[in-house]
Amino acid sequence: MSSRSGSRREYETSDQLTGRSAAPAVPESSEIEAGGLIFYHMDLYGSKERFDIFPEELSAQGERSLGDTRRESALSSEKIQHSQEAGYDLEKEVAELAKMYGLDEDREKELELLGGHPEMAKSRWPSAHTEKARSQGSVYNASKSSSSVKDQSLSTKQWGLPGEASQDEDESKARAEDDAESPIRSGEGLSSSGISDEWNSQAVSEEEESGDVFCSTCKIPIRAFDKLFGEHKDHEVIKLPNAMESEKEEIHKNMCKLEEQIAQMENFASHLEEIFITVEENFGRQEENFEVHYNDAVQVLAQKYEEQLEALGEEKRQKLEALYGQLVSCGEHLDTCKELTDTTQELYLENNKANFMKAAITMVDRLEEFLKKEVDLELSTVPDFEERVIDFSEVEQLMNSINIIPAPCAPVINPQAPSAATGTSLRVCWSLFSDDTVECYQLCYKMVNNERCSDEQPEHTLKVKETYCTITNLLPNTQYEFWVSALNASGISPPSERTVYVTAPSPPTIKSNKIRSCENAALVCWESGDINPVDSYTVELSKLADEENGDTITESIVGIPNCEVLIHLQPTQSYHIYVRALNVGGSSERSDPVLIHTTGTYFCLNEDTAHPLLAILDDGFTIACDELENPECDLPIYDNSFTRCIGILGSLIPFPGKHYWEVEVEEDTEYRIGVAFENTPRHGYLGANNSSWCMRHIITPSRHKYEFLHSGMTPDIRITLPPKRIGILLDYENCRLSFFNADIAQHLYTFNTDFHHYVHPCFALETPGILRIRTGIAVPPRTALP
């Protein structure tokens, strides 16, 4: 029993030295059950040919994992014999599997990697003949039967194969005895195992480098063959290109995150730089603040020192003067005493008694009088000075005013925002790009000098808590200059840079009497409500879709530089027209609307061209002449007025197409009506030149005569029924000017001429009378000419 235990321990030690654990052995060919099948501890069921391959794969795994050359040789020999007995071509089967899984190309790549040594490739991909030759040439071929028995015993114990449990103990004993008798062979096996492990390690590395699938579990490239039969069989694998794309996407995401971090760090670094600058600026302001306060404190202390020193000097002067006065008085008293003493001594030396008595009486009186005076022997002042206490309250107040809160830095006024202005107000905003403490802001503004107001304008100041303020009661379309300062307990900041804001313009005023329109267009004129120029105008159209309920459809025409615009409209519609003025400050309010109908042509009479004797009535479309004076009278005449013909021009008709209007006349009135160019002579008669075309009515004693004049010439046309309502049709496109008797729809005459320019309607009276002009009339269909 002890010998067996020692043999087993020796066997285990040998396995530990080789760095391997006991691998399951492949059963002998004699152990194969009926049908040529071998049972393994695997959940694999397939064809007979597939099971014939597994021993070879297991032997290859055993070679890579255990390196036991002896047992692999015996196993390969038995497997090949069994395969040959079963009638299967193992080498052909392996080749088909390799081709199925794309391993032929990998084998060729390996041949290239191995430097063209096919024997090395064969060691990694052994064929049936190679296994047979290696089995026959093995140094352990003599002991094949004993090692097979031992391997079979190990396999039976490890895998628990059925039918083999009764032989475990005997086979273990035999294997231990055989191992004990063959220590030299174990050492040789160890050497062979080391070589095999080294080669297998190199082969696995090459295999991983040239893998065609990716093991998601181990995170390494592998071969498809290893997924089917190798150690990665139960691992999750994906195609290598898909794995590469997935890793690229992951790397790209990480790179994006890295770029975001880089951007964040760059922004943070910029912010840090700004903070550095802010710290330096705050330090400078705080240092300046300290210096100012300390200088003030030192100045106060110096002033206190000077005051106290002056007071002390004054006290010293008074003391010295008092002591000096007392010292002088004492000296005088001593001199008197000495003089009396000397006089008394001289008196004692007098021998003449009469003289002595005379002098003695006088001397006695003098001494009595002197001795009666009290001698002040007390000091008039003390040598000590008064204790003086310096009042530091002001200094303490200055010291207490030194605060860590510095005076704020200058704010920045924002540029004028769109729609921040009206005609009389402005909303001004500003910002403070620091963390300074601010109690309030001081906003100042004044009007900018211009041509209208060149005098220096007064400044206005407001204090506000917020960073915005709306200023009212301003002039429209006017520039104002603003600047702002921030305040706190430490002081006031420097003022911001001055910024100019502009109020919105005033609403324009549409000249309703200057509007001209036709069936598909309108010319609208207006005047600005401001002296200062504006940037542009916007015209808003509201088409009256339903006049009863007031539903409208609004359109806008923007960017109009002048005070008039030609608008294209739809026929037979009614529009409300509004105008807004715009500048950098914003848009003005809408003007008062005017109503335009596109039922016909509308024009007005130009008063500047009217003769002085011609009057325009209140409706604006009726002209009259009541006086019979000479047309060439001395009444005031405008530069553009008619001087000879009592006439007037209507406004220009600047629209292509057809235009129609009517004139109501009286039978006893002589008149001229038609069209004329802008430059028609004002000192002549209408129709007498080549720039005007007109119909003339003259009353003769015998009849009513009608002329159609151009350049002073007229065709010979007789009209039997005098018209009371004359229709005039101007057709720019067909170059025609036609006249009709509108009451009976009678065509009177047509001028065929090429109008090189747009024309004005023209009207003249040659005798006192009235002409009524009707506009906005649609062209009657019956007036269409062939």
Side-chain angles (χ1 to χ4, degrees), residues 71-254:
R71 285 182 296 194
E72 287 179 358
S73 300
L75 179 62
S76 301
S77 177
E78 293 171 3
K79 176 174 65 63
I80 292 170
Q81 291 177 4
H82 171 69
S83 300
Q84 290 176 352
E85 291 174 1
Y88 294 107
D89 189 350
L90 182 60
E91 183 177 2
K92 181 178 180 181
E93 195 71 23
V94 171
E96 290 179 358
L97 284 174
K99 184 175 181 180
M100 181 184 301
Y101 292 102
L103 301 179
D104 288 342
E105 298 178 358
D106 299 334
R107 189 171 180 182
E108 294 177 0
K109 294 179 181 178
E110 286 186 2
L111 285 174
E112 296 177 0
L113 294 173
L114 295 174
H117 298 286
E119 63 276 4
M120 297 180 68
K122 289 179 180 180
S123 66
R124 294 196 60 192
W125 301 94
S127 63
H129 297 294
T130 305
E131 291 290 340
K132 183 176 180 180
R134 188 172 61 185
S135 174
Q136 294 175 355
S138 175
V139 294
Y140 303 109
N141 198 26
S143 58
K144 182 179 77 171
S145 60
S146 62
S147 63
S148 299
V149 171
K150 289 184 282 184
D151 293 342
Q152 183 177 0
S153 174
L154 287 173
S155 177
T156 304
K157 290 188 69 179
Q158 183 170 352
W159 300 101
L161 298 178
E164 301 297 335
S166 61
Q167 302 176 1
D168 286 348
E169 185 177 355
D170 295 338
E171 290 175 355
S172 299
K173 293 178 182 179
R175 183 175 66 252
E177 292 174 356
D178 184 68
D179 291 339
E181 293 173 358
S182 307
I184 299 176
R185 284 180 296 174
S186 296
E188 294 174 356
L190 177 64
S191 177
S192 300
S193 173
I195 298 173
S196 178
D197 288 343
E198 181 180 357
W199 166 246
N200 284 323
S201 173
Q202 180 181 0
V204 169
S205 176
E206 294 175 357
E207 183 177 358
E208 290 176 354
E209 292 178 358
S210 58
D212 47 12
V213 294
F214 183 78
C215 178
S216 300
T217 305
C218 300
K219 302 297 182 182
I220 58 173
I222 63 171
R223 292 181 173 277
F225 196 84
D226 291 338
K227 168 61 181 172
L228 295 175
F229 308 110
E231 58 183 358
H232 305 279
K233 181 179 69 174
D234 297 330
H235 296 174
E236 182 181 356
V237 298
I238 58 176
K239 293 182 180 181
L240 193 59
N242 295 343
M244 184 175 67
E245 291 297 329
S246 177
E247 290 299 323
K248 284 184 178 180
E249 291 179 0
E250 189 67 23
I251 292 173
H252 178 68
K253 292 179 181 178
N254 293 333

Side-chain angles (χ1 to χ4, degrees), residues 286-354:
Q286 190 67 20
E287 183 181 19
E288 183 180 357
N289 186 35
F290 285 162
E291 184 178 356
V292 170
H293 283 76
Y294 279 118
N295 288 339
D296 293 342
V298 170
Q299 185 176 358
V300 171
L301 286 174
Q303 184 178 357
K304 294 291 184 183
Y305 170 76
E306 294 293 339
E307 291 176 357
Q308 293 295 330
L309 187 61
E310 184 178 356
L312 187 63
E314 181 65 23
E315 185 179 0
K316 173 187 173 183
R317 184 185 63 79
Q318 291 176 0
K319 286 180 178 294
L320 292 178
E321 288 179 355
L323 291 174
Y324 180 76
Q326 193 174 14
L327 182 62
V328 170
S329 176
C330 183
E332 291 177 352
H333 191 78
L334 287 175
D335 291 341
T336 303
C337 290
K338 288 181 180 181
E339 190 266 331
L340 290 175
T341 302
D342 293 341
T343 303
T344 303
Q345 289 178 357
E346 290 178 359
L347 181 62
Y348 275 108
L349 295 177
E350 181 65 39
N351 295 324
N352 190 340
K353 294 179 179 180

